[in-house]
Amino acid sequence: MWRLSHWMLRAISGVFFWFAQRMAPAGKVATGIAIIAAALGVDTRQTMAFQIFAVTAAALVIALVAAKSMRPRFEIERNAPRLVTAGQEFSYRVWVRNAGAKTAQGLSFFEQIADPRPSLALFRASLRFPTYRGWWRLVMQAQPVLLEDATVPPLRPGERVMVEVRGHARRRGTFELTGATVAQAEPLGMVRALARLPVAGSMVVLPPRYALDPLAFAGARRYQQGGVTLANSVGDSEEFVGLREYRPGDPLQRIHWKSFARLGEPVVREFQDEFFERHALVLDTFAGAQQAEAFEEAVSVAASFACTLDTQESLLDLLFVGSEAYSFTAGRGQLQVGTLVEILAGVRASTDKSFSVLAQTLLAKRGALSGCMLILLDCDAPRMDLVRHLQASGVALRVLLIAAREPAQLPVGWTLLTPGRIQEGLAAL
């Protein structure tokens, strides 16, 4: 049943997609009139509606043949933004050039997107029963951005014009553009001939952020094993201090050979261990179906703190669990804060791992941490145990619980944030 339903819904949505792209507004009206006339004109002895059907159907057939014979040629240049924020309207410019030999009229521009129809596996996993409403919901979830068609004015041969494409960022994620299409209506204005252009692109829809006051942890500076360099390296590295004379036991790899050759005596490079602040921003990704709204709010809160915490003289580790445990570091020559926000745009809930994976990853880093911001979705025993272990380690800790309902007993020091009232809760921190 699932396989058959998936095939039928996929075919039906494919027909709707073809109809929406090929038919101009006049053609959609004519198709509707033809369908109604066909239904009313079944009995040709009692109504003359069949004549209306014959005329509109003949016009549509002629329009289809005319559109099929057209070969429009266009060139485009897209200036789409790479980053947009969920919940906001945006626009960008597209330059369209008529590369054909005739004046083109009845033009419109729209983007081609990756196929949003769900796979059979996702279809079965996401729905309890196969319905078109559920199918349509999955199709819309696969489209983080909705773009409007843009009307293009008439173009003479070789003429170039700028049009504005408007869009709405619905939710965070990556939006793939597989190409662009310039549609030209045939003389009857009912069916459009399509000029598809393979101009690929993509947009990253960032999670919405909340306004926060600057936040400072009270944690002390910690020793960082290997230090932090401005470039990626393999092995330990420390901060360079200067040169000094060789002492027995100094490793040979620290000899400064240029100074050795100039002075005739061994000279070594001297380093010192690095001590600075390192904070962890931990996102709880273990969300059930009932926690979908809370999880999205948790991602937005994490993005807000990633933009607020100072990374000029400290490090910020973003930790979460997806298909595996991930850790990304920003500050002091590492990743930029904006990169962490882009990473959060693609975070998904973890369904095949346990919370212990996140707890073990965080506890393995606790010796180097000065402070930790925990963004949790529940108040169960594993999460409370993690908080107790971090407190026992002397790590400056802030715990935010994002839940629709307050637990029976909120632990001391935890802050409850309710979806829909996140800004008010963050203002009280």
Side-chain angles (χ1 to χ4, degrees):
M1 179 183 69
W2 284 96
R3 187 177 300 274
L4 178 60
S5 299
H6 179 266
W7 179 85
M8 292 178 60
L9 292 172
R10 185 179 179 86
I12 293 172
S13 58
V15 171
F16 284 164
F17 177 75
W18 180 92
F19 183 82
Q21 284 198 331
R22 286 283 182 178
M23 290 296 176
K28 295 176 182 178
V29 173
T31 302
I33 293 174
I35 293 174
I36 296 174
L40 296 177
V42 174
D43 190 348
T44 59
R45 294 173 297 180
Q46 297 186 6
T47 177
M48 303 297 290
F50 72 93
Q51 295 181 353
I52 300 177
F53 168 77
V55 172
T56 53
L60 286 171
V61 171
I62 294 173
L64 285 169
V65 173
K68 192 69 174 179
S69 64
M70 296 174 64
R71 295 291 184 270
R73 294 175 55 198
F74 297 95
E75 297 175 356
I76 72 158
E77 181 181 346
R78 181 198 294 128
N79 188 22
R82 192 179 71 86
L83 301 175
V84 295
T85 300
Q88 294 185 356
E89 306 286 339
F90 66 94
S91 64
Y92 60 92
R93 296 176 178 178
V94 176
W95 283 266
V96 182
R97 177 180 176 273
N98 183 5
K102 299 180 179 179
T103 299
Q105 298 181 346
L107 302 178
S108 58
F109 172 88
F110 52 88
E111 299 282 8
Q112 297 177 24
I113 64 174
D115 191 348
R117 293 174 294 184
S119 63
L120 177 60
L122 178 61
F123 182 59
R124 296 193 62 171
S126 303
L127 303 179
R128 293 184 179 180
F129 189 79
T131 62
Y132 186 78
R133 180 179 180 182
W135 170 273
W136 183 251
R137 177 171 55 84
L138 294 177
V139 169
M140 294 304 295
Q141 287 179 356
Q143 301 180 64
V145 173
L146 295 180
L147 297 175
E148 300 177 2
D149 295 355
T151 301
V152 182
L155 292 177
R156 294 187 298 272
E159 186 178 3
R160 186 170 180 261
V161 69
M162 186 272 291
V163 297
E164 186 179 34
V165 179
R166 298 182 178 274
H168 172 67
R170 299 174 54 248
R171 61 170 185 82
R172 62 183 179 86
T174 302
F175 183 60
E176 298 291 340
L177 299 174
T178 60
T181 299
V182 179
Q184 180 179 0
E186 41 74 39
L188 293 179
M190 293 193 293
V191 182
R192 302 187 293 191
L194 306 182
R196 292 190 171 93
L197 305 170
V199 186
S202 64
M203 301 180 193
V204 177
V205 184
L206 304 177
R209 276 90 69 198
Y210 294 101
L212 292 173
D213 293 329
L215 181 66
F217 281 104
R221 297 162 70 91
R222 298 291 185 96
Y223 166 63
Q224 307 298 323
Q225 174 68 26
V228 176
T229 58
L230 293 179
N232 293 330
S233 60
V234 178
D236 290 348
S237 62
E238 299 166 309
E239 184 177 7
F240 175 74
V241 177
L243 301 175
R244 62 170 174 80
E245 62 182 8
Y246 175 81
R247 298 172 187 168
D250 286 337
L252 293 178
Q253 60 265 31
R254 291 193 176 184
I255 293 179
H256 192 259
W257 297 104
K258 291 184 179 180
S259 299
F260 187 6
R262 185 174 65 254
L263 300 176
E265 297 180 356
V267 177
V268 297
R269 292 169 294 178
E270 187 174 22
F271 299 86
Q272 70 177 12
D273 295 333
E274 290 193 58
F275 289 81
F276 48 83
E277 294 183 7
R278 186 170 198 151
H279 307 302
L281 178 61
V282 185
L283 175 63
D284 184 357
T285 57
F286 302 93
Q290 296 78 15
Q291 297 172 300
E293 183 182 4
F295 175 66
E296 291 300 322
E297 292 286 13
V299 174
S300 295
V301 171
S304 303
F305 279 108
C307 296
T308 304
L309 293 173
D310 181 23
T311 57
Q312 294 295 322
E313 297 298 331
S314 63
L315 292 178
L316 177 62
D317 293 337
L318 172 63
L319 281 79
F320 62 90
V321 174
S323 57
E324 58 183 274
Y326 293 98
S327 176
F328 300 93
T329 303
R332 294 181 64 95
Q334 305 299 302
L335 297 176
Q336 299 294 322
V337 170
T339 305
L340 296 186
V341 180
E342 291 186 41
I343 292 171
L344 287 169
V347 171
R348 295 291 179 264
S350 179
T351 57
D352 57 347
K353 297 286 191 301
S354 66
F355 185 80
S356 61
V357 177
L358 180 62
Q360 293 171 4
T361 303
L362 178 58
L363 292 177
K365 294 176 171 286
R366 58 182 167 177
L369 295 179
S370 305
C372 180
M373 171 70 71
L374 278 175
I375 303 175
L376 303 178
L377 299 174
D378 204 345
C379 186
D380 55 6
R383 290 168 174 81
M384 295 179 68
D385 288 341
L386 173 61
V387 172
R388 283 194 291 267
H389 281 95
L390 292 173
Q391 290 173 338
S393 302
V395 177
L397 189 63
R398 287 178 181 262
V399 183
L400 303 181
L401 174 63
I402 300 181
R405 293 181 297 178
E406 183 175 357
Q409 185 175 3
L410 186 68
V412 178
W414 290 39
T415 301
L416 177 66
L417 299 178
T418 304
R421 302 179 59 187
I422 300 294
Q423 185 64 71
E424 292 86 339
L426 293 175
L429 291 178

